[in-house]
Amino acid sequence: MEVLDLLDFLEQNIQMASKNLVGKVSINKKEVLQTITEIRNYLPDEFSEAKNIVEKRERIINEAKREAEEIIERARRRAQDEYENSDILMAAKQAANEIVEEAKKEAKEIKTEATMQAKEIKYGVMNYADGTLSHLQKEIDLVSEQSLINIKKEMEAMLISIHKQIAGTTSTIRENIKELGNSN
């Protein structure tokens, strides 16, 4: 299953990504987005595979119905050809009805099983993809939050440094003005 392989690859990239000084993971955004695109491209294939399974089950069910109908028809003809006795005819009808009921029951079980399998595959793929994408979003959010904190700290330090330079320059200008005023 290509989707599962791609999700495993994505998870492994996140887990093995290098960490910066504050312990946050740095990931290759382009590679992650490309992997997500590939996952989206494969999902229709997975759903198509599930649909093919359901269609195959329905063909089996239809074939079982046809066989049951053929068996019933053969039983009817045989009963009419070989037996004129009403007791035997009734027994044959009952046997035919039992065969029909058994065939219907078996067809219904096969259809139910096929439907359940298709739903399990669909929900499994969707849940796995959703979980992996949620985990990835959390990682991205954490990295973004830490980056904003670091930028804020750097900006505060830079503003304090600029303020000190301006204050030092202002003091120097005042002293120069005083000296100019004293020299006159």
Side-chain angles (χ1 to χ4, degrees):
M1 295 191 133
E2 295 290 334
V3 171
L4 297 179
D5 293 340
L6 288 169
L7 291 172
D8 289 342
F9 171 76
L10 191 60
E11 184 176 31
Q12 185 179 26
N13 269 357
I14 292 170
Q15 289 177 350
M16 297 186 71
S18 60
K19 294 183 178 181
N20 61 16
L21 295 176
V22 290
K24 294 299 172 184
V25 174
S26 175
I27 59 174
N28 183 333
K29 180 179 177 181
K30 182 179 179 181
E31 189 175 82
V32 168
L33 291 175
Q34 182 181 1
T35 304
I36 290 171
T37 299
E38 288 181 33
I39 289 170
R40 284 188 180 128
N41 289 337
Y42 280 115
L43 281 178
D45 292 339
E46 299 295 329
F47 294 132
S48 176
E49 184 178 320
K51 181 182 174 189
N52 288 339
I53 291 172
V54 170
E55 288 174 355
K56 183 178 179 183
R57 297 287 185 209
E58 287 181 12
R59 283 194 304 270
I60 292 171
I61 290 168
N62 290 335
E63 187 176 318
K65 284 180 182 178
R66 278 194 305 275
E67 287 179 18
E69 289 171 4
E70 289 174 9
I71 291 170
I72 292 168
E73 185 59 34
R74 283 195 305 262
R76 284 182 186 155
R77 276 187 263 134
R78 183 175 176 189
Q80 286 175 355
D81 292 344
E82 294 182 13
Y83 306 104
E84 294 297 323
N85 188 326
S86 65
D87 292 337
I88 296 174
L89 183 59
M90 292 298 280
K93 285 182 179 180
Q94 185 177 353
N97 287 337
E98 289 173 5
I99 292 170
V100 168
E101 289 302 315
E102 186 63 32
K104 285 180 181 179
K105 181 181 174 184
E106 190 175 317
K108 185 177 180 180
E109 289 173 1
I110 291 171
K111 183 177 180 180
T112 300
E113 183 181 330
T115 302
M116 286 176 25
Q117 286 179 356
K119 284 181 180 179
E120 286 175 9
I121 290 170
K122 178 182 174 183
Y123 291 127
V125 168
M126 291 174 69
N127 287 338
Y128 188 79
D130 186 51
T132 301
L133 291 174
S134 293
H135 178 73
L136 178 61
Q137 184 62 48
K138 286 177 186 176
E139 290 291 327
I140 290 171
D141 290 346
L142 286 173
V143 168
S144 298
E145 184 179 325
Q146 188 59 44
S147 296
L148 287 174
I149 290 170
N150 290 341
I151 290 170
K152 182 180 176 184
K153 286 179 183 178
E154 289 175 9
M155 290 299 289
E156 286 175 356
M158 184 177 77
L159 289 173
I160 289 170
S161 173
I162 291 171
H163 178 70
K164 286 180 182 178
Q165 288 177 355
I166 291 172
T169 303
T170 303
S171 294
T172 304
I173 292 172
R174 285 185 182 157
E175 288 175 14
N176 288 341
I177 292 173
K178 278 184 185 178
E179 285 179 18
L180 283 173
N182 288 340
S183 63
N184 286 338

